[in-house]
Amino acid sequence: MASGQSRSSNSLVVPQANQALDQLKYEVAQELGIQIPQDGYYGYMTSRDTGSIGGNITRRLVQIAEQQLAGGTSANRFSR
């Protein structure tokens, strides 16, 4: 694989959401007491830790969507 090329095939529908999702990742990791590597290499993290972060992000995004559908809070709030 060429250097600098991302291995992920996932792409955001709204590319501007990348910063908000990154912020959410760090918030969730901090709440769980998990340290995210500063260099961006996740190879030394356990699958349990990365899965916990991803699962909690998904849970939070679903809560936000449910609140929006119910006429609740705005999309800019990631708090519970």
Side-chain angles (χ1 to χ4, degrees), residues 57-71:
I57 289 172
T58 302
R59 184 177 298 116
R60 187 92 50 96
L61 292 173
V62 168
Q63 287 174 345
I64 292 167
E66 287 174 344
Q67 289 172 350
Q68 280 188 319
L69 289 172

